[in-house]
Amino acid sequence: MGLNKKSVDDINVKGKRVLVRCDFNVPLKSGEITDETRIVAALPTINKLLKDGGKVILCSHLGKVKNGPNEGESLAPVAKRLSEKLGKEVNFVADYSVTGEAATKAVEAMQEGDVVLLQNTRFRGAEETKNGEAFSKELADLADVYVCDAFGSSHRAHASVAGVTKCITEKGGENAVGYLMQKEIDFLGNAVENPVRPFVAILGGAKVADKLNVINNLLEKCDTLIIGGGMAFTFLKAKGLEVGNSLVDNEKLDYCKEMMEKAEKLGKKLLLPVDTTIASHFPDPIDGPIDVKVVAADAIPADMEGLDIGTETAKLYADAVKSAKTVVWNGPMGVFENPTLAAGTIAVAKSLAETDATTIIGGGDSAAAVNQLGFADKMSHISTGGGASLEFLEGKELPGVAAADDK
């Protein structure tokens, strides 16, 4: 995996048009932004390029855009908030074609230090398809240099993420990564490729199927692999234990057996729950009151289901983290959205907050859990990409990272 990429510190942008792919996929309610984290995260890269005299052209997707372009998924609210954050006018090109005449004219009129924001890239159906070549070229025609700072989209070979880089290269331009992307590459990439040991990986979440390649890859890289969440019950059943009505992926039982054998063969520790928090049913609503009790992992009654790790398991997992130097965590230990069933996830988050290790939270639900539970400022790095961080942990090459020029 090539991790030594040109960053915004390695390029000269004075007087140049710089196309920056950001991740402005922010949550909206009645046209108002409800969480501006992603906008704030993009500011260091944008400010650096402005300070260096670049003409900064921003682009991003927002939402899934299933029914064609619509005002509900326009980037207009982002332009407004971005203007406030940068303290300067962001010229928003509202044109649904994204790279049409309005965009060309706006870019032609730019001075050094100006900012233009293009419309939602997914308004162009070609963004996500294999035949996005025309769109890639049109994006590249607007710029001299390209910067990718959208890690959350870097596992997609989309026109605005990877396609555009070929066209920039053909015209003699440079392709770099922004500060956000650089941070992800430094933390996630180095954790997997070159960790300071002992290296502990913690995997949770619902299904084994979602993390097949991650389990396999991390077993080769880490010293201890901890399994929690719904996926633990498939492992427990593969060991021959009764798991009652707990979530089980019956098609993956053999795979779990293979992984346990692989851990033994490689001399790696694979930790599974020794006790579990059980209930008679899944909470409905998800955050509603629920009666639970904690039983040994081999004593789950046939009519009950496990919904969180138990207290002894939480201690076991916390102990395993204490001596670690690098910890990667992806996926909660239980139904953390419910206060009664968040104990396991809180215990793991707390143990990470108290360790001196480099602690990396791999996006998605684990990032949400750490933020919600108030431990975010105690972590070394919280990834901004769910799917992208998972693919990074699988050891896959991400198109958005691969497309940047090497140093």
Side-chain angles (χ1 to χ4, degrees):
M1 199 189 295
L3 301 177
N4 199 20
K5 296 295 180 180
K6 265 187 193 171
S7 85
V8 286
D9 290 327
D10 303 313
I11 56 175
N12 175 16
V13 298
K14 184 154 178 61
K16 292 180 182 171
R17 301 166 303 162
V18 190
L19 179 69
V20 187
R21 175 55 158 98
C22 298
D23 183 2
F24 292 144
N25 187 20
V26 293
L28 293 169
K29 197 171 181 181
S30 315
E32 293 294 321
I33 296 166
T34 56
D35 181 351
E36 59 181 32
T37 308
R38 287 177 170 165
I39 294 174
V40 174
L43 296 176
T45 294
I46 298 169
N47 281 321
K48 160 76 175 161
L49 295 168
L50 291 173
K51 187 168 130 285
D52 290 354
K55 302 172 183 179
V56 178
I57 307 148
L58 307 172
C59 67
S60 173
H61 78 283
L62 184 121
K64 300 223 182 291
V65 191
K66 290 218 163 75
N67 304 313
N70 64 89
E71 276 310 293
E73 289 173 303
S74 163
L75 282 173
V78 172
K80 184 170 168 257
R81 188 66 60 91
L82 207 47
S83 297
E84 292 163 10
K85 293 281 176 199
L86 290 169
K88 60 161 54 205
E89 182 62 30
V90 171
N91 182 8
F92 177 54
V93 182
D95 179 11
Y96 285 178
S97 73
V98 188
T99 49
E101 194 184 340
T104 308
K105 282 188 170 155
V107 171
E108 276 171 3
M110 290 178 87
Q111 304 292 317
E112 287 182 16
D114 283 353
V115 184
V116 164
L117 173 63
L118 304 179
Q119 185 54 282
N120 188 341
T121 54
R122 287 198 182 160
F123 282 4
R124 278 288 290 263
E127 160 76 340
E128 301 171 67
T129 57
K130 292 277 184 274
N131 47 11
E133 283 168 27
F135 186 33
S136 297
K137 186 178 180 309
E138 287 166 31
L139 284 166
D141 285 346
L142 294 173
D144 308 301
V145 178
Y146 172 77
V147 172
C148 187
D149 210 23
F151 181 72
S153 300
S154 64
H155 58 315
R156 311 264 187 232
H158 290 171
S160 67
V161 175
V164 62
T165 60
K166 296 187 189 82
C167 307
I168 291 283
T169 301
E170 279 163 15
K171 60 197 272 189
E174 293 178 284
N175 299 291
V177 296
Y179 289 134
L180 245 188
M181 283 281 281
Q182 186 61 55
K183 199 174 172 216
E184 297 278 6
I185 292 168
D186 288 349
F187 276 99
L188 277 169
N190 288 329
V192 176
E193 296 302 320
N194 190 22
V196 182
R197 298 187 182 278
F199 172 26
V200 175
I202 306 168
L203 293 179
K207 294 185 188 142
V208 174
D210 297 341
K211 305 220 164 91
L212 290 179
N213 299 330
V214 183
I215 297 167
N216 200 5
N217 189 46
L218 285 179
L219 260 185
E220 287 172 17
K221 314 275 188 186
C222 71
D223 302 295
T224 300
L225 179 61
I226 293 174
I227 304 279
M231 61 194 282
F233 299 105
T234 307
F235 276 90
L236 294 174
K237 187 169 179 181
K239 275 182 80 174
L241 303 187
E242 165 65 63
V243 295
N245 290 328
S246 306
L247 186 69
V248 167
D249 193 341
N250 284 310
E251 288 176 16
K252 298 290 176 277
L253 292 170
D254 285 343
Y255 173 83
C256 290
K257 283 178 193 161
E258 263 173 59
M259 290 302 108
M260 290 188 278
E261 284 161 15
K262 179 174 179 165
E264 201 169 336
K265 204 166 105 193
L266 294 173
K268 306 293 174 82
K269 270 191 198 159
L270 176 65
L271 299 182
L272 295 171
V274 292
D275 62 351
T276 182
T277 301
I278 60 169
S280 59
H281 61 280
F282 196 85
D284 181 23
I286 197 161
D287 57 353
I290 187 165
D291 289 329
V292 300
K293 63 178 176 178
V294 177
V295 298
D298 60 358
I300 301 172
D303 60 346
M304 304 284 270
E305 60 180 304
L307 296 169
D308 189 16
I309 57 173
T311 41
E312 289 307 311
T313 305
K315 280 184 206 149
L316 174 75
Y317 291 2
D319 278 347
V321 167
K322 271 180 191 150
S323 57
K325 288 280 181 275
T326 306
V327 186
V328 171
W329 178 21
N330 185 287
M333 297 293 101
V335 186
F336 77 96
E337 301 89 342
N338 186 295
T340 311
L341 300 167
T345 303
I346 290 171
V348 168
K350 197 165 175 295
S351 67
L352 264 65
E354 288 167 0
T355 177
D356 296 331
T358 298
T359 49
I360 299 154
I361 312 301
D365 279 345
S366 358
V370 166
N371 282 318
Q372 249 170 314
L373 302 169
F375 291 101
D377 60 335
K378 302 280 195 299
M379 304 301 161
S380 310
H381 178 62
I382 298 177
S383 179
T384 53
S389 58
L390 264 185
E391 291 197 14
F392 222 138
L393 295 176
E394 283 178 29
K396 279 188 184 172
E397 186 171 75
L398 305 187
V401 176
D405 299 342
D406 291 328
K407 276 191 186 177

